[in-house]
Amino acid sequence: MAIMTDNHAATDDEAPVWRADVDALAFRPSSHRGLCMVHRHAFRTLLRRYPSPEDCAAYFQDHRAVFQAAASVKLAQASVAADANFHLTSRDLARAMQN
């Protein structure tokens, strides 16, 4: 799987973008203009090992619906501006996986 490693803003249909400047995977949630970022440490908690950017992208692709669901919940609960960037934690994702 190819993963972009620049600051190009991913769209919902694109592969996620690895943001080396913040050590996080960025994706565009459905119906949101900002980016959602998930730090490598969150993936480390989920994968129970220190992941590479490619590991993070593969996990995201395998669980894309969970990431989108967690982002939707966070956007609604935190009243995030329509074009603001925000972060998901491993707890946010774990809650979404339980639902």
Side-chain angles (χ1 to χ4, degrees), residues 5-21:
T5 56
D6 63 14
N7 289 336
H8 170 78
T11 66
D12 189 38
D13 295 330
E14 290 179 353
V17 176
W18 185 258
R19 294 276 311 265
D21 58 330

Side-chain angles (χ1 to χ4, degrees), residues 4-73:
M4 302 176 72
T5 56
D6 63 14
N7 289 336
H8 170 78
T11 66
D12 189 38
D13 295 330
E14 290 179 353
V17 176
W18 185 258
R19 294 276 311 265
D21 58 330
V22 292
D23 202 29
L25 188 80
F27 70 98
R28 186 165 322 278
S30 299
S31 304
H32 187 71
R33 293 189 311 260
L35 292 176
C36 178
M37 288 175 254
V38 183
H39 197 273
R40 188 192 309 247
H41 292 299
F43 284 102
R44 183 177 65 189
T45 299
L46 296 166
L47 295 168
R48 298 181 182 188
R49 63 183 165 80
Y50 190 78
S52 68
E54 292 79 15
D55 294 333
C56 297
Y59 189 85
F60 172 85
Q61 292 298 347
D62 290 344
H63 300 90
R64 183 182 284 268
V66 171
F67 282 80
Q68 288 289 350
S72 293
V73 168

